[in-house]
Amino acid sequence: PNPTTRQTTIRNVDIGSVYNVQVRAVSDVGSGQWRSATSQRIYRVPSQVSNIQMTRTVSGNFRVTWNQPNSDRPIQYYEVRYRKEGLSSWTSVTPNPTTRQTTIGNVDKGSVYNVQVRAVSDVGSGQWRSATSQRTYRVPSQVSNIQMTQTVSGRVINLRVTW
């Protein structure tokens, strides 16, 4: 222990174990009485989410869903981030979703996006899990130079359309 900062760290604790701690002051004239802290159970951070699915919506956005991870403590929320393929910086979805789904909007059409999700409890954050990258659709441009021509083949009259 460090006597000037009045703290110490107990290392390599066992997950699931309950720890009881007692502390007392010691000086060159003697020792004070032991004082007990409240018991503390050691919990692990949530495991990785699983089965992340990215689906394109009709509007060209992404709907992202995932399965809940294992966690010793209740999940408080999920962190979701995404980036356009080839970029290094991530954009976080805000607010953080509390359910196992969210929609990512305002994406560039025709681009590939990467998405990651992790769970957060009062113990801390789980590890990021990546989804399979998805490409947004680009709305086709307007056709031009539409031509209609009537053709006759024997007794059948046809209308041929070209563009």
Side-chain angles (χ1 to χ4, degrees), residues 109-125:
K109 305 303 183 245
S111 297
V112 176
Y113 281 85
N114 304 308
V115 173
Q116 292 185 331
V117 180
R118 70 178 175 183
V120 179
S121 73
D122 60 354
V123 178
S125 301

Side-chain angles (χ1 to χ4, degrees), residues 81-136:
R81 64 186 185 180
Y82 63 96
R83 68 180 175 194
K84 192 187 307 189
E85 193 168 78
L87 297 181
S88 59
S89 63
W90 293 91
T91 300
S92 295
V93 171
T94 55
N96 290 317
T98 55
T99 60
R100 294 185 315 272
Q101 66 178 12
T102 192
T103 299
I104 298 173
N106 298 321
V107 293
D108 294 334
K109 305 303 183 245
S111 297
V112 176
Y113 281 85
N114 304 308
V115 173
Q116 292 185 331
V117 180
R118 70 178 175 183
V120 179
S121 73
D122 60 354
V123 178
S125 301
Q127 291 183 344
W128 290 105
R129 171 72 56 121
S130 296
T132 303
S133 300
Q134 289 283 338
R135 179 177 297 280
T136 57

Side-chain angles (χ1 to χ4, degrees), residues 8-19:
T8 191
T9 300
I10 302 171
R11 300 193 185 284
N12 297 316
V13 295
D14 294 323
I15 302 295
S17 296
V18 176
Y19 287 82

